[in-house]
Amino acid sequence: MRSVALIFMLGLLGGCTTSNQELVRDYHNDGLHLFKQGRYSDAEESFQAALKLQPADPGIYYNLGQTYDYLHRKQEAEKYYRECILRSPNHAGARHALTILLMNQNKQQEAVEGVEDWLKKSPNCAAAYAEDGFLWKQMGDMPRSQARYQQALALDPNDTRVLTELAEVYEKLNRPDRSMVLYQRAFEINPHQLAVKKNIDRLRSIGTPLPHPD
């Protein structure tokens, strides 16, 4: 209870000037800091303290899901991802984490049904199409994955995750020229993506040309 106790004491010292919202923020920020340090059990304590004060916040449920995932407590991780989605149906992070969790537990059909339900309920959500694209990429259906990612980009042309994952699909379809263009677009939007930069350099090193007409 190290981090929780520390912040609780800070709250007491602040007396009535420390609001409930400030305590939630402090617990949550402490949890994020501890998570980044790999101190997942301590992070869990801070996130749980934040959740008690603000039980309707989907972001806290998601961060707890991630924490339990890293603690290899998969049932609890799934529970908190689902709680997050219940409160925020289009929470892309929780949806993606749940998809991966289910796939890793050989619950492929459940993962597919979850994404299909999301698409049905949110037909204009780019993240839902992206998640379906991810699913089909994982299952080896590159043409279907490509189509879904393109639908996602039509709704959100600047989604760097979609640009990067569609680039990976084109590489598997032996179209590195198209991959190069997508990686470059993703890097222009967010130049802090080191993995994307490495992919651009790799494709350049093998003399990848500009895209040719289909």
Side-chain angles (χ1 to χ4, degrees):
M1 295 299 292
R2 178 220 53 80
S3 57
V4 176
L6 173 62
I7 298 174
F8 180 67
M9 286 302 296
L10 290 174
L12 289 178
L13 290 172
C16 296
T17 62
T18 302
S19 70
N20 186 73
Q21 191 60 35
E22 288 172 331
L23 281 174
V24 171
R25 184 192 62 223
D26 287 342
Y27 284 134
H28 197 226
N29 288 343
D30 192 53
L32 291 172
H33 177 70
L34 292 164
F35 184 93
K36 289 176 183 177
Q37 290 184 325
R39 296 168 60 185
Y40 304 120
S41 294
D42 289 334
E44 175 200 357
E45 291 179 2
S46 290
F47 288 139
Q48 286 288 3
L51 188 64
K52 286 178 182 177
L53 291 170
Q54 195 161 301
D57 188 329
I60 301 174
Y61 285 96
Y62 170 68
N63 286 329
L64 274 165
Q66 288 277 278
T67 301
Y68 288 125
D69 230 340
Y70 276 80
L71 287 169
H72 305 290
R73 291 157 62 176
K74 301 302 181 182
Q75 286 186 331
E76 287 164 288
E78 181 177 341
K79 171 189 170 184
Y80 281 95
Y81 290 144
R82 292 191 185 279
E83 289 286 349
C84 173
I85 292 166
L86 185 66
R87 289 161 176 78
S88 179
N90 291 329
H91 194 292
R95 290 281 189 176
H96 188 55
L98 181 59
T99 296
I100 293 173
L101 187 66
L102 293 173
M103 294 289 284
N104 287 342
Q105 293 178 328
N106 297 315
K107 297 178 180 179
Q108 178 175 307
Q109 188 57 37
E110 191 174 344
V112 170
E113 289 172 357
V115 176
E116 287 178 348
D117 182 67
W118 186 17
L119 280 166
K120 188 181 299 181
K121 292 177 178 175
S122 301
N124 296 315
C125 178
Y129 290 96
E131 198 59 37
D132 204 41
F134 171 80
L135 256 182
W136 295 112
K137 179 161 70 80
Q138 295 300 108
M139 293 188 286
D141 190 336
M142 296 306 146
R144 189 166 182 174
S145 176
Q146 174 192 350
R148 283 309 202 196
Y149 281 131
Q150 287 173 333
Q151 286 176 289
L153 282 181
L155 292 166
D156 185 357
N158 295 318
D159 188 317
T160 56
R161 173 200 163 188
V162 176
L163 289 167
T164 300
E165 292 186 9
L166 181 55
E168 294 168 357
V169 169
Y170 275 123
E171 286 205 66
K172 292 181 182 295
L173 292 171
N174 295 315
R175 291 300 307 270
D177 52 337
R178 289 188 178 274
S179 297
M180 173 71 90
V181 171
L182 292 167
Y183 284 134
Q184 287 175 329
R185 279 177 59 192
F187 193 69
E188 286 170 6
I189 294 166
N190 179 6
H192 301 292
Q193 303 174 96
L194 296 181
V196 174
K197 180 64 165 60
K198 287 181 180 179
N199 283 328
I200 293 170
D201 292 342
R202 173 175 54 80
L203 291 177
R204 281 177 177 161
S205 72
I206 59 175
T208 301
L210 293 174
H212 57 76
D214 288 322

